[in-house]
Amino acid sequence: MRLLSSGCRLFLTTTPFKTNRCFLTRTFVAAMSSKVFEVAAQGFGTGTNELYDRARPSYRHEALTNIRKAIRSQSLLNVVELGAGTGIFTRALLAHPDWQDAIKELRAVEPSAGMREQFTKTVDDSRASVAEGTFDTTGVEDGWADLVVIAQAFHWCPDYDKASREFARVLKPNGIVVFIWNLEDRDRAKWVAQLRDRIERHESGSPQFRLELWRATFSTPGYTENFEPPEEKIISYELLGTEDIVVNRALSKSYISILPADEKQKVVDDIKEIVKRGDGRVWTDNEKGEFAYPYRTWTVIARKK
């Protein structure tokens, strides 16, 4: 996807995160004992993954640069990518100039068979492989990894303590864990806020990134015993937007993809109306129907003690 040229604002904090906010629902609590949330299992199951791979944005060049700078090792790196999905982050990492000659091996771990199938179609690099696994059952040997990275996935983790202990187990001394997410920036355009309001009503109690339940990780014993306080960077920017891009990205959301056909069509119709009104929209090419699509990328780095 082509990125629009624009200035980026960078924010950095090294203070410990607050514990999770009180957004827990019965659905979330019930799912804590399962390996994979049902919304994720269905929404990212077989048949949904080509759209996901096509519709979701890649990752900012500067975010990948910042991750590379955070790694202290200068030798070739072993990378574990958890919740690797269809390989969107994997491809960005392998192609990035700071990374393309820095990786010895990348082991992707993904619980969804459909996503693993799409991963093997889209990631063509002898250094990369993908296998079944979860956040707390990676199948990676002790002390193997320089980096554990989770892109657009950790909010689905059912047990933060177990996951943190698994990260510590597979990491080398001085290794790091990186959590990274992309999300539409509802604060910078009214139409984006309207879009988010429309699709969020279908979340069905699932632990979405925006709820920040994942921040509870950083107060668990598994984390505090093994890692330094997390460091967060937020980058604001614009992506290319069109009506088709906005609609398809919404349809790629797990909680939208599982809707009955009639409800899904209602979502599409409403999104098209929101885009047509375009409250606060900034056109980049009116004739082509192209406009700025405000986004943010969160990068959270945890260093092993």
Side-chain angles (χ1 to χ4, degrees):
M1 176 176 292
R2 179 173 66 86
L3 302 183
L4 300 177
S5 57
S6 64
C8 292
R9 293 175 291 162
L10 187 63
F11 305 89
L12 171 63
T13 176
T14 56
T15 56
F17 288 119
K18 297 179 181 178
T19 55
N20 71 307
R21 301 177 181 180
C22 298
F23 287 105
L24 285 173
T25 64
R26 291 181 181 176
T27 303
F28 178 73
V29 173
M32 288 291 285
S33 61
S34 65
K35 288 292 186 182
V36 180
F37 284 91
E38 188 62 24
V39 171
Q42 293 183 27
F44 299 138
T46 301
T48 67
N49 302 295
E50 289 186 5
L51 173 63
Y52 182 98
D53 195 69
R54 183 174 73 253
R56 292 297 181 100
S58 189
Y59 293 85
R60 298 294 289 180
H61 180 97
E62 56 266 46
L64 299 181
T65 294
N66 291 335
I67 296 170
R68 181 66 187 91
K69 289 178 179 178
I71 299 176
R72 293 170 180 154
S73 175
Q74 298 302 312
S75 58
L76 288 176
L77 304 174
N78 289 333
V79 178
V80 175
E81 184 185 352
L82 304 179
T86 62
I88 296 173
F89 180 87
T90 318
R91 299 193 300 269
L93 195 73
L94 292 168
H96 191 280
D98 292 341
W99 285 94
Q100 57 188 4
D101 296 323
I103 297 174
K104 180 179 180 181
E105 185 178 352
L106 186 151
R107 298 184 185 177
V109 177
E110 169 55 48
S112 166
M115 283 198 161
R116 292 197 304 273
E117 181 181 4
Q118 188 68 20
F119 183 102
T120 60
K121 293 178 181 178
T122 63
V123 178
D124 184 15
D125 192 303
S126 60
R127 297 170 295 173
S129 61
V130 63
E132 184 177 7
T134 63
F135 294 119
D136 60 7
T137 310
T138 64
V140 177
E141 57 263 36
D142 294 356
W144 181 84
D146 298 282
L147 167 66
V148 172
V149 61
I150 307 110
Q152 211 73 20
F154 189 66
H155 53 284
W156 293 111
C157 181
D159 192 316
Y160 306 133
D161 185 76
K162 285 184 179 179
S164 296
R165 294 183 187 281
E166 179 72 353
F167 302 160
R169 183 188 68 78
V170 304
L171 280 172
K172 297 177 183 178
N174 296 320
I176 67 171
V177 181
V178 173
F179 311 88
I180 185 168
W181 288 273
N182 297 320
L183 187 67
E184 295 97 339
D185 190 347
R186 64 180 299 139
D187 297 327
R188 290 171 58 207
K190 288 184 179 180
W191 74 266
V192 178
Q194 294 162 5
L195 166 70
R196 291 299 311 183
D197 287 343
R198 179 61 185 89
I199 64 176
E200 286 169 7
R201 70 177 72 166
H202 297 286
E203 288 178 351
S204 302
S206 58
Q208 296 299 314
F209 163 72
R210 70 179 185 86
L211 300 178
E212 301 189 357
L213 302 172
W214 50 271
R215 292 188 186 274
T217 301
F218 310 123
S219 60
T220 61
Y223 184 90
T224 58
E225 292 168 10
N226 293 289
F227 294 96
E228 301 291 346
E231 306 160 18
E232 180 177 10
K233 293 181 181 181
I234 304 174
I235 302 171
S236 297
Y237 54 94
E238 289 84 35
L239 295 176
L240 169 67
T242 66
E243 181 184 276
D244 285 346
I245 287 172
V246 175
V247 168
N248 285 330
R249 197 159 295 164
L251 290 175
S252 76
K253 307 289 186 183
S254 57
Y255 50 88
I256 300 297
S257 69
I258 63 175
L259 292 175
D262 58 339
E263 289 189 48
K264 191 181 297 185
Q265 185 59 51
K266 180 66 170 124
V267 172
V268 170
D269 293 342
D270 289 349
I271 290 174
K272 287 182 176 180
E273 181 60 30
I274 289 168
V275 173
K276 182 179 179 180
R277 287 198 310 269
D279 294 339
R281 174 177 49 203
V282 176
W283 288 104
T284 57
D285 193 324
N286 201 329
E287 291 185 1
K288 294 182 179 179
E290 296 177 353
F291 47 84
Y293 196 168
Y295 256 82
R296 285 182 178 178
T297 292
W298 281 255
T299 305
V300 183
I301 294 174
R303 301 181 182 276
K304 187 176 179 182
K305 290 182 178 178

